[in-house]
Amino acid sequence: MPLAALLGFEAVEGGPGGVVLAGSWAEDRCTAAGVLHGGYLMALADSAAATLAFLNLAEGETTSTIEAKTNFLAAVREGTVTARAELVHKGRTTIVVQTDVTDEAGRLVSRTLQTQAVLEGGGG
């Protein structure tokens, strides 16, 4: 994923049962108040969820995010963040993933519930 590389996300572990990605605080990724931007956190969660959905597809299928809802629970002002994506539902036409983002202290920073469409033949 080119955006994940641009944003500095790192793969920690992954398989059909779960995906873990890491990101980090940087001044150019923050709001005016020095808080890691919610868009950065959402992009991290989306990348983890999309990777997990992809790892649960059959040959010839692809996936696309069709819905995502994020709750922001704590501000991040330094250090790294870790996104852990877990499969909630794997159906014929949709995959639902929950992704929790935590800080270095293990504090829950955000929770995202996301639905991915399962598309046949490379989809759109």
Side-chain angles (χ1 to χ4, degrees):
M1 282 186 262
L3 180 63
L6 177 69
L7 296 175
F9 300 158
E10 296 180 27
V12 176
E13 61 185 68
V19 167
V20 179
L21 299 181
S24 59
W25 184 95
E27 188 174 344
D28 63 349
R29 298 175 182 159
C30 290
T31 66
V35 174
L36 194 57
H37 196 285
Y40 182 86
L41 295 169
M42 288 181 73
L44 179 64
D46 180 65
S47 297
T51 301
L52 180 58
F54 179 80
L55 293 172
N56 279 278
L57 295 174
E59 187 173 333
E61 293 177 332
T62 190
T63 185
S64 180
T65 304
I66 58 174
E67 187 271 339
K69 191 246 189 256
T70 300
N71 285 74
F72 297 102
L73 306 167
V76 176
R77 291 184 171 86
E78 63 183 359
T80 60
V81 287
T82 303
R84 287 179 173 77
E86 297 180 347
L87 196 61
V88 174
H89 166 79
K90 179 183 173 191
R92 187 177 52 78
T93 59
T94 60
I95 294 173
V96 179
V97 178
Q98 178 174 296
T99 306
D100 286 347
V101 177
T102 55
D103 65 11
E104 289 178 344
R107 181 177 59 147
L108 185 60
V109 172
S110 68
R111 175 168 283 169
T112 301
L113 186 64
Q114 183 174 105
T115 304
Q116 297 271 336
V118 176
L119 307 170
E120 295 184 26

